[in-house]
Every structure is written in C-alpha cells, then in structure tokens.
Amino acid sequence: MFQDLEQLPPDAILGLIAEFNADSRTDKIDLGVGVFRTAEGVTPVLDAVKAAEQRILDSQDSKAYLGTAGNPDFNAAMQSMTFAGSVDDARLVTVQAPGGSGSLRVAASLLLKAESNAPVWVSEPTWNNHVPLLGGAGLELKPYPYYDTERHVIRTDAMLDTLRQVPKGEIVLFHACCHNPSGLDPSDDEWRAITEVLVERELLPFIDMAYQGFARGLDEDAFAIRHMAEQVPEMIVSNSCSKNFGLYRDRVGSLSVLAADAEAAARIRSQLSYIARTIYSMPPDHGAAIVATILGDEALTAQWHVELAAMRARILDMRALLHGALKETAPDHDFSHLVRATGMFCFLGLSKEQVEALKRDHGVYMVGSSRINVAGVTNDNVDYLATSIAAVL
Ligand code: LMR
C-alpha cells in the first residue's frame, strides 16, 4: 500500500523548529516560526490565560461534547471582537475551529460546496501554508500582485488593476493585518479602494485575521473587515487566537461567514456543522474555554489588553533596534521597511544562498524567503545578528 509514497521535505516554516533545536551553537538565533518571544526569548503563557485556566480548572464540571460549532460564548465573543456591530448579527454565523488553519480549511470546504469552480486569488506572496492548505482542499489559487521585492512597498496600483479584471463571483483572500510574510498592510484608504473594487466586481472577500491586535490595536486591525462588512453582501473571516492570546498549541480559532440575510445564514450554519462533522467532528475545547473566560470577564479582558499591548510594543521596539543596528553594520543597504512593517514579520530581502549562509555560518535561522520573525530579536542578540546579516550581504 505505502510502498510508492515519496519522502516529502520538511515544512518550510515548521521544519525550522527541529533544525534550530538540533543546532548546538549557543549564539544561534531563531527568527523562523511566527511565535511571539519575550526579551528572554521565551514564548510565555499570558497571565490572563493562566488566571482563566485556573477558573476553568476550579469550575468545569463536565467534559461532555459541546457540538460541532464548539463553545457558544467563545463564538459570540469572537464575532463581536471581529465585527463590533458593523453589520446586523442576524446575517453572521461564527463557529469555533481548530486554529486559524482549521478555520481556513472549513472555509475551503464551504466554498467548494457553494461554487466548486471559483478560484481564490491570493497575494503574491502569501503565507506559505495558504497554498497547500487551500489548494490541497481542492480550491484553485491564482496570485494577485502585492509586494514589491525591490522597493519593499505594497504594489497597490498593480493589485487594484488585477482585481478589476477578476471575473464576477470569484474569491479574494486578504490578510486583515500583519501581512504574512511581508508585514506590510494596505492603509485604511487603500482598504477603501480595494472594497470599492470588490463591490464593483461582485467579488467575495475572504479575510484571514491571524494577528488581530499585533499591528495597531484590536479595533484598528479589524478595519478592513468592518469596512467591507458594511459594503458587501457576503464575506468570510478566519480568526486565529494563536498569537494574540498566545494559545498556539491549543489550536483555537473561529470562522465567521457574513450571509446576505438571516435565512441564508441559517443554511450556512447547517453546512458548517456538517463540514466540521465530516473532518474532525468537534473542535478542541480548552483554548476556546480560555478565550471565552477572558472575554466574558471585564478584569481578565483588561489584563489581556495590557499583555497584548506589551507584546505589540516589544515587537515595534525590536524592529527599531534591528533597523538601527543594521544602519551601523550595513550602511549601504536600505532596511527602512523593517520599521514600516508591523506584526512579527518582514523580509530581509536576501537570496536563498544568503539565507542558507546565515544558517550554516552564523546559526541564524529564518524562512528561505528571508522572512524573519522580529520577535526573535533581543537586546542581547541584535549586534551579533546585524553583524551576521552584514557578513552575508
Ligand atoms: C508562521 O507563519 O510562522 C506561523 O503562522 C506558524 C505557521 O503555522 O506557519
């Protein structure tokens, strides 16, 4: 049966975890997988999460099934954090999903059931896993221009020109904020222009929001979603709680679908329930219970807001720190996009060979595209990092 199965290479992002762990150099630096790190290099369990977990431990009296849509309090809280009343709740369906990836996968099945031939347009480049995840589910993917690798800016005009040519009824995937991998997002005005094209061309926005709160703030980062929701008849939003709640391995996310009316929303809900049942039956509970506990309690929510703001501030600080250090070690190179980008990622603009040399000769790990996770930068490693980058330029 399995005789002819080929050996696959490790995942382009997750494969770096094992490679980094196996490296015995003490000055090695991990700028690979997108997880937040403190100044001590730790990916912490947030205090608000710890407190919520304690409450759950003390009060949970059953682990009986909750159903295909997961925790209803979690779903209501996620819906409100995402849409904040920008649209009539009766038109919205929100279900819990196993992480942002699980949410994307359920969305893919929904799209395939609704209109199996409509392609999904994805930014060039997009998150490494969008392509195998959505493509592997059976969707056809097509690229739209997004990032100018020479000038390190968004190609807004080229993007809009391409979207203006997309046939009616096709789907366009956007990153709500902290674009992965480039870290560069459209401005609010650019989102308005994009929305105009979506409305004009009758395109379906499909928004991946994996980093709400990591760019500008919880509300600011949801601007594109709330603005579009006011204008379009239908849209899809995939949320992840991996980063903003630090619940990575607990696999918690949600999927929201905006329907044309309440009756359509009810039919979509039944379809989502069926899709979940046929893939994983029910999402895991613990992470969603934590989020529901935090968002259902004023004091815990306030505590979480403070911790989220601290993560955002540290990332911005590390962007400025690395940018400053690179100005010293590589004065002939313009790295100003490091401080224009937000969230954890941006490109260094290095070749595959330079990325390989950084790993081999300096123990500095990043994705092959030269995407770095700036949360891996610290006061202690920044000089070594900037010197190492300069050495391969
Ligand atoms: C990343 O892009 O590094 C994160 O979203 C982790 C992942 O699953 O790829």
PDB file of all heavy atoms in Angstrom, residues 13-14 33-34 127 180 211 243 345 371, ligand 1:
ATOM      1  N   ILE A  13       8.268  26.238   7.086  1.00  0.00           N
ATOM      2  CA  ILE A  13       8.308  27.033   8.320  1.00  0.00           C
ATOM      3  C   ILE A  13       8.509  26.130   9.538  1.00  0.00           C
ATOM      4  O   ILE A  13       9.459  26.306  10.306  1.00  0.00           O
ATOM      5  CB  ILE A  13       7.017  27.873   8.483  1.00  0.00           C
ATOM      6  CG1 ILE A  13       6.879  28.875   7.332  1.00  0.00           C
ATOM      7  CG2 ILE A  13       7.017  28.600   9.825  1.00  0.00           C
ATOM      8  CD1 ILE A  13       5.586  29.675   7.328  1.00  0.00           C
ATOM      9  N   LEU A  14       7.642  25.132   9.695  1.00  0.00           N
ATOM     10  CA  LEU A  14       7.695  24.299  10.908  1.00  0.00           C
ATOM     11  C   LEU A  14       8.964  23.446  10.959  1.00  0.00           C
ATOM     12  O   LEU A  14       9.453  23.108  12.038  1.00  0.00           O
ATOM     13  CB  LEU A  14       6.451  23.415  11.013  1.00  0.00           C
ATOM     14  CG  LEU A  14       5.100  24.156  11.059  1.00  0.00           C
ATOM     15  CD1 LEU A  14       3.939  23.188  11.191  1.00  0.00           C
ATOM     16  CD2 LEU A  14       5.067  25.167  12.202  1.00  0.00           C
ATOM     17  N   VAL A  33       9.765  30.318  12.865  1.00  0.00           N
ATOM     18  CA  VAL A  33       8.310  30.195  13.008  1.00  0.00           C
ATOM     19  C   VAL A  33       7.732  31.393  13.753  1.00  0.00           C
ATOM     20  O   VAL A  33       8.366  31.957  14.661  1.00  0.00           O
ATOM     21  CB  VAL A  33       7.950  28.857  13.703  1.00  0.00           C
ATOM     22  CG1 VAL A  33       8.428  28.813  15.131  1.00  0.00           C
ATOM     23  CG2 VAL A  33       6.440  28.602  13.646  1.00  0.00           C
ATOM     24  N   GLY A  34       6.529  31.805  13.349  1.00  0.00           N
ATOM     25  CA  GLY A  34       5.905  33.003  13.900  1.00  0.00           C
ATOM     26  C   GLY A  34       5.293  32.807  15.272  1.00  0.00           C
ATOM     27  O   GLY A  34       4.089  32.634  15.400  1.00  0.00           O
ATOM     28  N   TRP A 127       1.090  33.679   2.928  1.00  0.00           N
ATOM     29  CA  TRP A 127       1.579  32.724   3.928  1.00  0.00           C
ATOM     30  C   TRP A 127       1.869  31.388   3.235  1.00  0.00           C
ATOM     31  O   TRP A 127       1.025  30.895   2.471  1.00  0.00           O
ATOM     32  CB  TRP A 127       0.518  32.560   5.028  1.00  0.00           C
ATOM     33  CG  TRP A 127       0.854  31.568   6.095  1.00  0.00           C
ATOM     34  CD1 TRP A 127       2.044  31.404   6.730  1.00  0.00           C
ATOM     35  CD2 TRP A 127      -0.040  30.595   6.666  1.00  0.00           C
ATOM     36  NE1 TRP A 127       1.952  30.402   7.661  1.00  0.00           N
ATOM     37  CE2 TRP A 127       0.685  29.888   7.645  1.00  0.00           C
ATOM     38  CE3 TRP A 127      -1.380  30.272   6.442  1.00  0.00           C
ATOM     39  CZ2 TRP A 127       0.115  28.865   8.401  1.00  0.00           C
ATOM     40  CZ3 TRP A 127      -1.949  29.254   7.190  1.00  0.00           C
ATOM     41  CH2 TRP A 127      -1.205  28.566   8.165  1.00  0.00           C
ATOM     42  N   ASN A 180       1.422  38.307   6.353  1.00  0.00           N
ATOM     43  CA  ASN A 180       2.425  37.241   6.481  1.00  0.00           C
ATOM     44  C   ASN A 180       2.710  36.713   5.087  1.00  0.00           C
ATOM     45  O   ASN A 180       1.813  36.136   4.475  1.00  0.00           O
ATOM     46  CB  ASN A 180       1.838  36.125   7.372  1.00  0.00           C
ATOM     47  CG  ASN A 180       2.797  34.983   7.615  1.00  0.00           C
ATOM     48  OD1 ASN A 180       3.933  34.998   7.146  1.00  0.00           O
ATOM     49  ND2 ASN A 180       2.345  33.969   8.340  1.00  0.00           N
ATOM     50  N   TYR A 211      -3.609  37.834  13.338  1.00  0.00           N
ATOM     51  CA  TYR A 211      -2.781  38.662  14.231  1.00  0.00           C
ATOM     52  C   TYR A 211      -3.533  39.871  14.773  1.00  0.00           C
ATOM     53  O   TYR A 211      -2.926  40.933  14.968  1.00  0.00           O
ATOM     54  CB  TYR A 211      -1.520  39.122  13.468  1.00  0.00           C
ATOM     55  CG  TYR A 211      -0.659  37.971  13.013  1.00  0.00           C
ATOM     56  CD1 TYR A 211      -0.853  37.381  11.772  1.00  0.00           C
ATOM     57  CD2 TYR A 211       0.320  37.449  13.855  1.00  0.00           C
ATOM     58  CE1 TYR A 211      -0.086  36.290  11.367  1.00  0.00           C
ATOM     59  CE2 TYR A 211       1.091  36.377  13.451  1.00  0.00           C
ATOM     60  CZ  TYR A 211       0.879  35.800  12.211  1.00  0.00           C
ATOM     61  OH  TYR A 211       1.642  34.729  11.817  1.00  0.00           O
ATOM     62  N   LYS A 243      -1.809  33.755  18.258  1.00  0.00           N
ATOM     63  CA  LYS A 243      -0.835  34.798  18.558  1.00  0.00           C
ATOM     64  C   LYS A 243      -1.348  35.762  19.615  1.00  0.00           C
ATOM     65  O   LYS A 243      -0.663  36.020  20.600  1.00  0.00           O
ATOM     66  CB  LYS A 243      -0.466  35.559  17.277  1.00  0.00           C
ATOM     67  CG  LYS A 243       0.503  34.827  16.381  1.00  0.00           C
ATOM     68  CD  LYS A 243      -0.151  33.784  15.534  1.00  0.00           C
ATOM     69  CE  LYS A 243       0.856  33.059  14.671  1.00  0.00           C
ATOM     70  NZ  LYS A 243       0.227  32.071  13.790  1.00  0.00           N
ATOM     71  N   PHE A 345       6.438  39.886  11.170  1.00  0.00           N
ATOM     72  CA  PHE A 345       7.239  39.519  10.003  1.00  0.00           C
ATOM     73  C   PHE A 345       7.690  40.672   9.133  1.00  0.00           C
ATOM     74  O   PHE A 345       7.063  41.726   9.089  1.00  0.00           O
ATOM     75  CB  PHE A 345       6.443  38.545   9.119  1.00  0.00           C
ATOM     76  CG  PHE A 345       5.941  37.355   9.870  1.00  0.00           C
ATOM     77  CD1 PHE A 345       4.578  37.092   9.927  1.00  0.00           C
ATOM     78  CD2 PHE A 345       6.812  36.517  10.547  1.00  0.00           C
ATOM     79  CE1 PHE A 345       4.109  36.002  10.641  1.00  0.00           C
ATOM     80  CE2 PHE A 345       6.349  35.422  11.259  1.00  0.00           C
ATOM     81  CZ  PHE A 345       4.984  35.160  11.301  1.00  0.00           C
ATOM     82  N   ARG A 371      12.116  35.762   5.140  1.00  0.00           N
ATOM     83  CA  ARG A 371      11.146  36.289   6.106  1.00  0.00           C
ATOM     84  C   ARG A 371      11.713  36.085   7.496  1.00  0.00           C
ATOM     85  O   ARG A 371      12.151  34.990   7.834  1.00  0.00           O
ATOM     86  CB  ARG A 371       9.816  35.537   6.000  1.00  0.00           C
ATOM     87  CG  ARG A 371       8.747  36.134   6.923  1.00  0.00           C
ATOM     88  CD  ARG A 371       7.591  35.182   7.214  1.00  0.00           C
ATOM     89  NE  ARG A 371       7.921  34.215   8.256  1.00  0.00           N
ATOM     90  CZ  ARG A 371       7.024  33.413   8.831  1.00  0.00           C
ATOM     91  NH1 ARG A 371       5.764  33.432   8.435  1.00  0.00           N
ATOM     92  NH2 ARG A 371       7.392  32.555   9.771  1.00  0.00           N
TER      93      ARG A 371
HETATM   94  C1  LMR B   1       4.080  31.321  10.707  1.00  0.00           C
HETATM   95  O1  LMR B   1       3.776  31.777   9.599  1.00  0.00           O
HETATM   96  O2  LMR B   1       5.259  31.202  11.075  1.00  0.00           O
HETATM   97  C2  LMR B   1       3.007  30.909  11.664  1.00  0.00           C
HETATM   98  O3  LMR B   1       1.758  31.245  11.148  1.00  0.00           O
HETATM   99  C3  LMR B   1       3.122  29.494  12.049  1.00  0.00           C
HETATM  100  C4  LMR B   1       2.691  28.570  10.960  1.00  0.00           C
HETATM  101  O4  LMR B   1       1.824  27.737  11.225  1.00  0.00           O
HETATM  102  O5  LMR B   1       3.223  28.635   9.868  1.00  0.00           O
END
